[in-house]
Structures are given as C-alpha cells and as structure tokens.
Amino acid sequence: MKQRSGWCFDCDSHVPVEDLRTEDLLQEIVSLHQQVPKDAGFFKSLSSSYKHDKKLLTDQLTRLEKRLDLIKTRQSPPKCLSCGGGHISLVEGAGPSCYYPGCKGTLQEQGDPLHLSLEFDHRIYDLEGLLIQVIEDW
C-alpha cells in the first residue's frame, strides 16, 4: 500500500499512514490502458523492444489493478503505520505548512542544520492493516 502524511491521535504525532484513496490510482490505470499498444503490424509485433515495452506496461497495469481490488475489498479504515491505530487524520496540504488536526493551527516546516539518520523496524501488516510481525534491525 501507499502511504501519506497523517496525524495519529494515539501516537500524538505526525506519522506515515496508509493511503487508501483510489482517485489517483484510477487515473493511473486509465492512463496506462491508453499507453498499452493495441494492435501492431506483423513486423512490429516481432520486435523485441515492442514486446518488452508492452509486457512492462501490462505488468504494471496488473499490479495497479490488484492494488485497487485490495483497497475495494478492505473493510477497515486507514491505519497509522507507527502504532497500527485507526484514530488518525490525514494531513491535508503539502509544502512548508499544512493543517494540524485537533486545533486551528498549522504545522510549519523549518530548516534545521542538524540531520539524523534513524533505523526503522520492518513492519508486516495483513490486508486489513493489522500488524502481523515486526522485524527489528531491518
């Protein structure tokens, strides 16, 4: 699944959350359908680059359609990818400032010369967003 920025009320923090929206996914599927070559002449259909390009587009289209099917069959709402909680709010907007849930303020991006590198655990979720396993030191 894709992820996006959100606010988790359980973590009380700005965190990555599952992105279960389908609008962009549907647009991408329509666009790929238009790019997949329909009919080619006999000699062009023998071309290895034609076959390769068509297979790449078809495989990508298949993956997107499977993701759309999974989202459509999903029963639970998006979850926090930090704690697995469902009490989240998607952060609207992007860039230097965005909406902050729970008040009328905004989050402001601020430059900082300090850079940190963090290691995150690898988390495996089922199709409903429930945590199955955590692999530490991924």
Side-chain angles (χ1 to χ4, degrees), residues 69-82:
D69 288 342
L70 288 174
I71 291 172
K72 285 181 175 180
T73 59
R74 171 97 175 235
Q75 298 295 314
S76 58
K79 302 218 186 285
C80 168
L81 293 174
S82 244

Side-chain angles (χ1 to χ4, degrees), residues 110-117:
Q110 200 170 2
D112 188 348
L114 179 65
H115 297 280
L116 299 175
S117 177

Side-chain angles (χ1 to χ4, degrees), residues 30 38 45 52 56 61 64 77 97 106 119 130-131 135-136:
V30 168
K38 303 297 180 223
S45 67
H52 179 263
L56 281 177
L61 190 56
L64 291 175
S97 69
T106 58
E119 289 186 29
L130 300 173
L131 183 64
I135 301 172
E136 295 180 11

Side-chain angles (χ1 to χ4, degrees), residues 18-114:
E18 294 176 311
D19 186 357
L20 302 180
R21 296 172 301 165
T22 59
E23 299 83 21
D24 293 341
L25 189 54
L26 286 169
Q27 287 177 354
E28 197 172 348
I29 288 172
V30 168
S31 174
L32 277 177
H33 268 295
Q34 294 170 350
Q35 292 176 39
V36 174
K38 303 297 180 223
D39 296 320
F42 176 73
F43 291 108
K44 186 174 183 178
S45 67
L46 296 175
S47 159
S48 61
S49 65
Y50 170 83
K51 290 178 186 178
H52 179 263
D53 292 346
K54 185 173 181 176
K55 180 168 176 23
L56 281 177
L57 287 171
T58 304
D59 289 349
Q60 186 176 3
L61 190 56
T62 301
R63 281 192 304 276
L64 291 175
E65 288 171 340
K66 284 181 181 179
R67 186 183 328 150
L68 181 62
D69 288 342
L70 288 174
I71 291 172
K72 285 181 175 180
T73 59
R74 171 97 175 235
Q75 298 295 314
S76 58
K79 302 218 186 285
C80 168
L81 293 174
S82 244
C83 73
H87 190 206
I88 62 168
S89 177
L90 300 178
V91 172
E92 298 300 329
S97 69
C98 59
Y99 167 72
Y100 172 79
C103 77
K104 295 180 183 187
T106 58
L107 295 172
Q108 297 290 325
E109 183 178 309
Q110 200 170 2
D112 188 348
L114 179 65

